[in-house]
């Protein structure tokens, strides 16, 4: 079955970077865009950007421009989202997702930013 | 950036009642790229509707989506106990995407 499995929880200090992975299975990884979405505790969903795993092309929400980088390794069907210059407001659950009729989302990765 | 506004913020209803949720966009959205999600505490969002009106796999037919342009609606014909949750709309056209702030459907 179509599945996205994310890496485990992370604790980072302010100013550091975090890199979250998202491993795809059950479909051809290069055929569908991967989106990244985050959700702070008790808050709504916030779209961060997308990546085309075939071309590597990306598009980022203006809020995250300059701070987020989305990449992939097609040999292991894995997408990555790296967020730099972390601050406490970046504490959230980060999801990778296919925004198409599959409705497939990863299980989420909690990133905690704390000194 | 297309801004999505959802109303009401909270909808208090009883099981068996009909729920009508609204999603309004600041500019026209292609119907092909409007989705609705349901989210329960501690869970990832679950796709209900894509393309404004197509039900995702396994979604009961009490859920339906409609609308075009800037106004979209999610209707739950008869609320079941498991339907009490938060609902988000999302537009995902033109290499960008945004979510609405959500509508919470709670038990009256």
């Amino acid at each position: 079955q179509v599945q996205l499995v994310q890496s485990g929880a992370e604790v980072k200090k302010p100013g550091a970077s975090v890199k979250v992975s998202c491993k795809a299975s059950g479909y051809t990884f290069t055929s569908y865009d991967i989106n990244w979405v985050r959700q702070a505790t008790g808050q709504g969903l916030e779209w961060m950007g997308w990546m085309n795993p075939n071309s590597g092309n990306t598009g980022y929400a203006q809020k995250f421009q300059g701070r987020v980088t989305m990449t992939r390794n097609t040999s292991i069907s894995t997408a990555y989202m790296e967020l730099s210059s972390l601050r406490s407001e970046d504490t959230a659950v980060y999801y990778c997702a296919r925004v198409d009729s599959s409705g497939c989302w990863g299980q989420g990765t909690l990133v905690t930013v704390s000194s | 950036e297309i801004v999505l506004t959802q109303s009401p913020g909270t909808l208090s209803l009883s099981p068996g009642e009909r729920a009508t949720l609204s999603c309004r966009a600041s500019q026209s959205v292609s119907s092909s790229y409007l989705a609705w999600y349901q989210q329960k505490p501690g869970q990832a969002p679950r796709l209900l509707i894509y393309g404004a009106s197509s039900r995702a796999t396994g979604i009961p037919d009490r859920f339906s989506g409609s609308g075009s342009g800037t106004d979209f609606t999610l209707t739950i014909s008869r609320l079941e106990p498991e339907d009490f949750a938060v609902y988000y709309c999302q537009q995902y056209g033109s290499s960008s995407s945004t979510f609405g702030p959500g509508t919470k459907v709670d038990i009256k």
Side-chain angles (χ1 to χ4, degrees):
Chain A
Q1 73 281 23
V2 176
Q3 202 171 5
L4 296 171
V5 177
Q6 299 182 223
S7 49
E10 302 262 14
V11 179
K12 296 291 182 181
K13 293 197 181 302
S17 296
V18 68
K19 191 170 186 177
V20 179
S21 68
C22 171
K23 182 171 178 58
S25 61
Y27 72 97
T28 302
F29 176 63
T30 50
S31 295
Y32 298 92
D33 292 351
I34 293 287
N35 286 246
W36 289 89
V37 176
R38 77 177 187 180
Q39 186 173 39
T41 301
Q43 303 301 308
L45 301 170
E46 183 173 32
W47 182 78
M48 299 180 69
W50 64 274
M51 182 194 63
N52 180 310
N54 184 47
S55 64
N57 288 346
T58 56
Y60 303 140
Q62 191 165 6
K63 174 177 179 175
F64 299 101
Q65 290 272 4
R67 245 189 359 125
V68 71
T69 305
M70 297 176 187
T71 58
R72 87 290 192 210
N73 182 334
T74 55
S75 67
I76 56 171
S77 300
T78 300
Y80 303 93
M81 186 283 300
E82 184 170 20
L83 188 63
S84 62
S85 302
L86 290 169
R87 34 206 188 233
S88 59
E89 310 89 88
D90 294 318
T91 294
V93 175
Y94 290 75
Y95 294 100
C96 59
R98 271 181 49 179
V99 180
D100 56 53
S101 60
S102 74
C104 186
W105 287 54
Q107 82 276 20
T109 296
L110 176 61
V111 175
T112 303
V113 183
S114 174
S115 54
Chain B
E1 172 183 297
I2 297 177
V3 176
L4 299 180
T5 303
Q6 291 187 243
S7 61
T10 302
L11 196 52
S12 296
L13 295 168
S14 300
E17 290 194 292
R18 181 184 187 90
T20 303
L21 287 67
S22 173
C23 176
R24 184 160 291 175
S26 60
Q27 54 189 278
S28 186
V29 172
S30 167
S31 295
S32 299
Y33 303 118
L34 192 287
W36 289 92
Y37 293 88
Q38 175 194 70
Q39 189 180 33
K40 297 178 181 178
Q43 297 183 15
R46 174 195 182 197
L47 179 67
L48 301 174
I49 301 288
Y50 65 94
S53 60
S54 298
R55 269 188 302 278
T57 302
I59 301 303
D61 61 7
R62 64 180 181 272
F63 291 93
S64 63
S66 63
S68 64
T70 59
D71 288 297
F72 298 88
T73 300
L74 174 70
T75 302
I76 311 171
S77 59
R78 284 187 321 279
L79 283 163
E80 297 287 341
E82 61 268 27
D83 299 337
F84 292 93
V86 179
Y87 293 83
Y88 296 95
C89 58
Q90 180 198 18
Q91 66 81 23
Y92 49 100
S94 62
S95 298
S96 179
S97 178
T98 47
F99 288 92
T103 290
K104 183 177 182 179
V105 179
D106 65 14
I107 300 176
K108 187 175 181 178

